[in-house]
Amino acid sequence: MRRDMYNTLPESGSPRWAESFEFMDTPKRRGPLLREFVDSFKRDPEARATPKGVVGADGKVFDVEAAIRATTHTRLNKQLKGRHLQMIAIGGSIGTGLFVGSGKALAVGGPASVLIAFSLIGMMIYCTVHALGEMAVCFPVSGSFSAYSTRFLDPAWGFAMGWNYAMQWLVVLPLEIVAASITLNYWGSTVNNSAWVSIFLTLIICINLFGVRGYGEAEFIFAIVKVIAVTGFIILGIIIDIGGGPGGSYLGGKTWVDPGAFNNGFKGLCSTFVTAAFAFAGTELVGLAAAETANPRKSLPTAVKQVFWRICLFYVVSLLLVGLIVPFTDPNLLDAKSESDATASPFVIAIRQAGIGVLPSVMNVVIMISVLSVGNSSVYGSSRTLVALAEQRQAPQIFAYIDRSGRPLVAVAFALAIGFLAFLAASNAEKSAFTWMLALSGLSSIFTWGSICLAHIRFRQAWRLQGRRLDELAFRSQPGIIGSWIGFVFNLLVLVAQFWTGFAQVGYGDYTTGENVSNFFQGYLAAPIVLAFYFPYKWYKSTNVIKCQDMDLSTGVRQWNLAELVAEERMEQSTWPRWKKAYKFLC
């Protein structure tokens, strides 16, 4: 009984049943507001990492069962709602990869390469997110995919994936803050970038003081802005292409004929694959949020299915229109001074070519909001991963500190502290420092997605081997285990493509040997870092690949009365018209 919570005791004479509610997350206020606010930052007495004394706590043997229990019984606040997850799934990771990075992809590979690459990578992401959704609904645990790697693959690989993912988002925050400040140069701002860095960093700090609810509400607003912007561009792009713009000339598919549909052949297509993978980074955050969702069984499947619409509508359709309007020979596509430079955005170029004066500035505002959105997501992704690592004793225990409001305070503070590296933007070390920071996050998502697919394959194998039926799962991946194999193979192919294009990039003959070596490691740095985490930890902890018959498929499972729930759902679905059945199947 947590009778010391908020330093209050039940009033004399209160019934005994009333005392049983003292542990709830929303107790009555019994003190000054300021005192309650200060106390909310104190450690939650029920929130603790793996207790001392268990196997592996002080020795060199990793205790998988203790790690599973620790991530299962997290005290993170469950305040995310269905609308938050849906908007995070639809527009959460739409950012500079789509708005600006697609311009370089168009210049290197041509419009057909962009369409093929984004469609195939989109299919891979669709399979990956469904695999993640199935596991997250069944096991809504802290750390999500890194915890699944520990549980279903190898604890050493889970350790490597956890730190790989945490480092990816830790370095993204300062990068995105600087990128947001650079977007203001579009209007010729004379204010020092350090001032804008301070403003944007303060904004992200304030959002994260409100915990997961602050993150959810901020991403809900950011995603709505991005969705409206992309939808508006699609409508505008159709009008421009058929000759409805101020210029009035019909374009149709002329750019696919002159200068052409492809550029730089097969190598150009492979280079575009890497850019497409970068543009989809962050899609997996919807699975990470499962541990902080009030009802993952209801909210998560709907959010996962929304990814289909985001891939088809916001990526494939919008980039198809971009390729129809902007030729890959446009010199502005390669003039980007940063990842957020709106002048190199094919969306801005398309609008400017149509002779529309105001909308390029509007699109630049959307790019700035997208950058801030990714920066906000980076704090969430890195802090929750650090908490899970600490709970599994794979990171310093201080990161497992969760306050009485359910906030991982130390992990959030650490992530925000890394954000102060954004002030390097005002120093002479800016270019080299940020280039290598970006290299750290380059291939991280590929390893994460591949691990999700492989963990799902192994999870299904163990589920079948231990005599369980698929109808016992609260949510099943629509592409199933075949989809996970497709996703896993595609991730391997992207790694191969990145190795080839990094080793012998397009136009490599124009660079010196030193420049080519530097470019290769900038694109492939994540791979040796993952291996550097994996092998030493595997040797030190003497971990083994988890056998299917030894996998724990019980701890942390959300208990649902599936027979009753399915019967109710089928009765309700029987009254739906066909269009609604088709819609609900997809989303």
Side-chain angles (χ1 to χ4, degrees):
M1 185 74 65
R2 286 167 52 190
R3 305 189 61 165
D4 61 333
M5 187 173 182
Y6 295 90
N7 296 323
T8 62
L9 291 171
E11 296 178 2
S12 177
S14 60
R16 292 184 61 84
W17 60 263
E19 297 181 16
S20 65
F21 287 91
E22 292 180 18
F23 68 89
M24 293 182 65
D25 293 331
T26 55
K28 294 180 180 179
R29 290 181 180 173
R30 298 181 182 177
L33 184 61
L34 178 61
R35 183 179 179 183
E36 183 177 343
F37 175 73
V38 173
D39 285 351
S40 72
F41 289 93
K42 294 181 180 179
R43 181 190 286 271
D44 184 344
E46 296 296 326
R48 56 179 63 89
T50 311
K52 294 181 179 180
V54 300
V55 178
D58 301 304
K60 295 184 179 181
V61 180
F62 186 84
D63 187 355
V64 178
E65 294 181 0
I68 292 173
R69 289 194 301 270
T71 54
T72 298
H73 303 297
T74 180
R75 296 290 295 179
L76 292 172
N77 207 349
K78 296 176 174 59
Q79 287 191 334
L80 285 179
K81 299 180 179 179
R83 62 183 178 87
H84 297 137
L85 283 186
Q86 289 183 38
M87 293 312 296
I88 290 171
I90 294 175
S93 64
I94 294 177
T96 54
L98 173 64
F99 291 128
V100 181
S102 58
K104 183 178 180 181
L106 179 61
V108 172
S113 293
V114 169
L115 192 61
I116 293 171
F118 274 80
S119 298
L120 292 177
I121 296 297
M123 182 177 67
M124 177 192 80
I125 292 297
Y126 179 76
C127 296
T128 302
V129 173
H130 269 265
L132 176 60
E134 180 179 304
M135 293 187 292
V137 171
C138 191
F139 305 99
V141 299
S142 173
S144 187
F145 22 84
S146 64
Y148 299 147
S149 293
T150 296
R151 190 169 191 159
F152 302 128
L153 299 177
D154 181 352
W157 189 250
F159 172 79
M161 286 300 96
W163 277 106
N164 165 68
Y165 196 73
M167 289 178 61
Q168 170 192 347
W169 285 119
L170 286 171
V171 301
V172 160
L173 178 58
L175 289 171
E176 297 301 319
I177 291 175
V178 171
S181 67
I182 291 175
T183 59
L184 296 164
N185 294 337
Y186 182 83
W187 295 291
S189 174
T190 57
V191 179
N192 190 290
N193 277 355
S194 295
W196 295 117
V197 167
S198 301
I199 293 172
F200 293 140
L201 188 57
T202 301
L203 175 63
I204 291 177
I205 290 174
C206 291
I207 290 173
N208 283 275
L209 280 178
F210 291 95
V212 69
R213 187 64 179 270
Y215 164 74
E217 295 295 348
E219 285 305 304
F220 182 77
I221 295 171
F222 290 154
I224 286 177
V225 173
K226 290 185 283 187
V227 167
I228 292 174
V230 176
T231 304
F233 176 81
I234 290 173
I235 296 172
L236 179 63
I238 294 173
I239 294 173
I240 294 173
D241 190 59
I242 62 176
S249 59
Y250 174 78
L251 297 175
K254 292 179 181 178
T255 57
W256 284 55
V257 178
D258 183 20
F262 293 93
N263 189 28
N264 294 311
F266 184 67
K267 184 177 288 187
L269 175 62
C270 289
S271 299
T272 308
F273 270 110
V274 177
T275 305
F278 172 77
F280 282 103
T283 308
E284 69 287 338
L285 281 171
V286 69
L288 191 65
E292 295 177 83
T293 303
N295 188 354
R297 198 265 171 184
K298 181 179 179 181
S299 303
L300 202 56
T302 301
V304 165
K305 293 176 184 178
Q306 297 287 357
V307 174
F308 170 83
W309 293 107
R310 195 190 78 193
I311 293 170
C312 292
L313 185 63
F314 301 135
Y315 283 85
V316 177
V317 175
S318 63
L319 290 175
L320 171 62
L321 290 168
V322 163
L324 291 174
I325 299 171
V326 182
F328 67 75
T329 52
D330 192 305
N332 293 316
L333 293 172
L334 294 175
D335 282 347
K337 298 179 178 62
S338 73
E339 64 166 6
S340 61
D341 189 352
T343 59
S345 168
F347 293 81
V348 173
I349 294 171
I351 297 171
R352 191 188 299 128
Q353 285 183 353
I356 303 173
V358 179
L359 289 183
S361 292
V362 174
M363 186 57 69
N364 189 59
V365 172
V366 174
I367 292 173
M368 181 177 68
I369 291 174
S370 301
V371 170
L372 290 174
S373 172
V374 175
N376 185 45
S377 296
S378 70
V379 177
Y380 181 81
S382 59
S383 62
R384 271 54 180 185
T385 305
L386 286 173
V387 168
L389 287 169
E391 288 176 337
Q392 297 173 91
R393 308 195 70 83
Q394 294 177 329
Q397 296 298 283
I398 189 63
F399 288 130
Y401 183 103
I402 298 175
D403 67 15
R404 294 182 177 182
S405 295
R407 294 170 297 200
L409 205 59
V410 175
V412 169
F414 180 74
L416 291 170
I418 299 294
F420 282 91
L421 291 175
F423 287 102
L424 283 173
S427 71
N428 294 329
E430 172 195 353
K431 186 174 181 179
S432 59
F434 282 98
T435 296
W436 289 104
M437 286 170 65
L438 183 62
L440 279 174
S441 63
L443 283 178
S444 296
S445 293
I446 304 300
F447 284 101
T448 298
W449 298 334
S451 297
I452 290 171
C453 293
L454 188 57
H456 181 247
I457 292 169
R458 298 268 294 151
F459 161 69
R460 280 289 192 92
Q461 290 174 343
W463 192 265
R464 185 185 70 251
L465 186 64
Q466 295 186 23
R468 306 208 179 195
R469 304 186 312 275
L470 290 181
D471 56 14
E472 295 179 47
L473 294 171
F475 170 69
R476 274 183 283 174
S477 165
Q478 287 182 349
I481 195 170
I482 295 177
S484 293
W485 275 113
I486 292 173
F488 181 68
V489 171
F490 260 102
N491 277 287
L492 291 180
L493 292 177
V494 171
L495 286 175
V496 173
Q498 174 67 352
F499 185 88
W500 181 41
T501 57
F503 179 77
Q505 61 181 317
V506 175
Y508 71 95
D510 299 331
Y511 300 95
T512 64
T513 302
E515 289 174 335
N516 280 322
V517 172
S518 177
N519 290 335
F520 171 76
F521 279 104
Q522 287 174 18
Y524 224 75
L525 185 62
I529 288 179
V530 167
L531 297 179
F533 275 108
Y534 175 67
F535 285 111
Y537 189 86
K538 187 173 182 63
W539 171 79
Y540 184 75
K541 291 289 186 179
S542 302
T543 66
N544 296 309
V545 175
I546 308 297
K547 297 179 180 179
C548 290
Q549 61 267 28
D550 296 332
M551 290 182 189
D552 183 354
L553 301 180
S554 300
T555 305
V557 174
R558 283 287 180 97
Q559 299 298 327
W560 314 101
N561 189 344
L562 285 182
E564 183 178 338
L565 288 172
V566 170
E568 291 178 359
E569 289 176 355
R570 286 178 177 173
M571 185 178 296
E572 181 185 359
Q573 292 170 5
S574 64
T575 63
W576 291 350
R578 289 183 179 179
W579 67 266
K580 190 172 183 179
K581 290 180 180 179
Y583 173 79
K584 287 294 183 179
F585 176 78
L586 293 174
C587 60

